[in-house]
Amino acid sequence: MTEQSKRKQITESIKARLDEINKEIDHLEERVRESSGEVEKKYQEQLKTVREKRTEFTEKLDQLQTAGEAQWEKIKLDVDYAWKAFNNSVNYFRAHFK
């Protein structure tokens, strides 16, 4: 497997995981809309955090896709860190709906 195909496989795997979580976020957003009052306000704040983390993550992913060979490993570490932060915010948000 060439380095380029390995990179493509990694980014496509990350995108697939992102798509799955985006579907879950959409479902959770529906549940937020069903809430009311203080509960809805609290969920909206948490949802805002999730969206911010998702934006940070997708920006890093975009950087990864256009990174040159010299930058790839550093940016991949940044992507991993951004993924963990995004995933943690989703897990925290998800925990409130159990």
Side-chain angles (χ1 to χ4, degrees), residues 43-57:
Y43 288 160
Q44 286 293 349
E45 290 172 10
Q46 291 175 353
L47 188 55
K48 181 182 176 192
T49 300
V50 167
R51 288 179 181 138
E52 289 170 353
K53 296 295 182 190
R54 178 174 54 192
T55 299
E56 291 171 14
F57 173 73

Side-chain angles (χ1 to χ4, degrees), residues 12-61:
E12 288 185 6
S13 172
I14 293 169
K15 283 182 184 179
R17 291 187 296 177
L18 178 60
D19 289 343
E20 289 175 24
I21 288 185
N22 280 333
K23 288 177 187 177
E24 185 174 356
I25 291 170
D26 290 343
H27 175 70
L28 292 171
E29 285 177 334
E30 289 176 27
R31 293 184 65 187
V32 167
R33 285 189 287 268
E34 294 170 0
S35 305
S36 61
E38 284 299 311
V39 171
E40 181 183 17
K41 184 178 177 182
K42 178 180 161 188
Y43 288 160
Q44 286 293 349
E45 290 172 10
Q46 291 175 353
L47 188 55
K48 181 182 176 192
T49 300
V50 167
R51 288 179 181 138
E52 289 170 353
K53 296 295 182 190
R54 178 174 54 192
T55 299
E56 291 171 14
F57 173 73
T58 56
E59 288 171 357
K60 292 294 181 186
L61 183 58

